[in-house]
Amino acid sequence: MPASPTVPRPNAVVAVLALAGIVVSLMQTLVIPIVPELPKLLDAPASDAAWAVTATLLAAAVATPVVGRLGDMVGKRRMLLLSLVLLIAGSAVCGLSDTLVPMVAGRALQGLSAAVIPLGISIMRDELPAERLAGATALMSASLGVGGALGLPAAALIADNLDWHMLFWLSGALGAVALVLVLALVPESAVRTGGRFDVPGGIGMAAGLVCLLLAISKGADWGWTSGTTLGLFAAAVVILLVWGRWELRATQPLVDLRTTARRQVLFTNLASIAIGFSMFAMSLVLPQLLQLPEATGYGLGRSLLTAGLVMAPSGLVMMAFAPVSAKVSKAKGPKVTLMTGALIVAAGYGLNIVLMAEVWQLVLASCVISAGIGFTYGAMPALIMGAVPASETAAANSLNTLMRSLGTSLASALAGVVLAEMTISLGGFPLPSENAFKVVMGIGAGAALLAFLLASFIPRHRPGAGSAAQPAPAAGTGAKAASVH
């Protein structure tokens, strides 16, 4: 069967897939302005209302590797469309909700759409010309941070001026736009693995991840030494060990652990956890510094909307540095790009520790950190795709996305502990101290340096090696790219 011609509108494919990624990351950010109000809005205790956030986290963690694997098996575009349909459905459920249960259900449905970004990267590998692939995948990878940064001011503006349900109707409308554009402009790839889905592997991974992330995300509320928290951590260890043994013996595993154990994939994923931690630490610290009262001596007393506007440039910087990341990867290799980005992130946190007294200083620090994140997020897909067959791209990219999410969850938990333990009293209310913020920034810098160290163990390849420089398999050929050992 002759190979189909290269996709005729690569610019449109890149734009649509990047838009879909931004929409999904926007969905995760839009709820932030109303989190403090959720107990009142849903007539539920604060501990219960928090499940509107936790449900999204858990659903995303489970869906990302499962949907990625299904994308490799039955079609990446097909699973991308399903993910967007789930986003729209979840947004509609939340938009119609006034009580806790439907809100949590809707947020879980929204979380099931989290695989859009790794699916988009995988479609790009299959469909784009080789010379476009590096820049396009860097942009798609950066869309995770771009949507998050731009979503905060938009959500704050809507929450301050309109009914809070409009947040979810906006999310649903953007999802519908992305769905139509994907249907119209994005082709389906014929690069598939086929075979049968590993149901026991899917159940085992889901159970292990839910136990682990529940313990991390709710440990501060339940107590880190409580029986529930320790029991969940223990259950996660046991389940994931059993799951790993099953995956190694399965003929068609959900996750090919032998491929995952290759040095290039393993250390890229480990570095991704550290980089995910660093990215989210900034998102936790800067908005609080901006909104704390000036009476503290270090808070800037700004509104939520102002805090969102201050964070917005960081998303634009991340997008702007995606093509720069691709050029560096082409010249020096993605390993160098990842290590360079990690150092930039660490430098940004160091700058933030000494410059945190003025709004412009926080804008500067966040932009430096985001430039580094743009470098690292652009390099990760190239490193992953340079070490796995084309028929396993979606599953491998999905696992990498999951590693980043694990890093953000760890950042939320650890930063929460530091900010809760290191406090001052203002008007009888405990508030995080200035040193608490500096400690979190220091930990963020340390995580970035850890990512640098981990990335140093990635095998060095000549510039241009790997998937990003290889001809993309033509649709219809079903050919597998050679693995890079």
Side-chain angles (χ1 to χ4, degrees), residues 243-437:
W243 169 80
R245 181 176 175 81
W246 169 269
E247 293 297 281
L248 288 171
R249 300 175 68 179
T251 54
Q252 295 179 323
L254 175 69
V255 177
D256 187 342
L257 293 180
R258 291 178 177 84
T259 298
T260 304
R262 290 176 185 166
R263 199 167 67 165
Q264 181 161 324
V265 179
L266 175 63
F267 282 100
T268 300
N269 282 333
L270 292 174
S272 297
I273 297 175
I275 289 296
F277 187 107
S278 287
M279 185 192 78
F280 203 64
M282 174 185 71
S283 303
L284 291 167
V285 167
L286 298 192
Q288 290 195 57
L289 273 174
L290 285 160
Q291 294 177 79
L292 281 176
E294 293 183 3
T296 59
Y298 50 89
L300 300 180
R302 305 306 171 113
S303 67
L304 177 63
L305 177 58
T306 301
L309 291 172
V310 168
M311 297 296 292
S314 64
L316 300 177
V317 168
M318 202 177 299
M319 179 174 285
F321 272 84
V324 180
S325 167
K327 290 180 180 178
V328 175
S329 292
K330 184 176 181 181
K332 301 292 184 180
K335 171 184 175 177
V336 173
T337 308
L338 178 55
M339 295 176 72
T340 302
L343 288 180
I344 295 173
V345 172
Y349 276 111
L351 192 67
N352 207 172
I353 290 173
V354 297
L355 294 177
M356 53 185 285
E358 302 288 344
V359 170
W360 71 265
Q361 295 175 348
L362 298 186
V363 172
L364 175 62
S366 67
C367 286
V368 173
I369 293 170
S370 296
I373 296 294
F375 265 78
T376 60
Y377 274 24
M380 289 171 192
L383 287 165
I384 293 295
M385 292 189 296
V388 301
S391 55
E392 297 178 15
T393 300
N397 279 319
S398 294
L399 185 62
N400 182 251
T401 300
L402 176 62
M403 294 300 104
R404 298 188 220 175
S405 299
L406 180 58
T408 63
S409 300
L410 291 170
S412 179
L414 184 55
V417 170
V418 172
L419 297 177
E421 293 296 325
M422 301 177 66
T423 62
I424 62 169
S425 180
L426 184 67
F429 294 96
L431 296 174
S433 68
E434 183 177 12
N435 284 335
F437 290 113

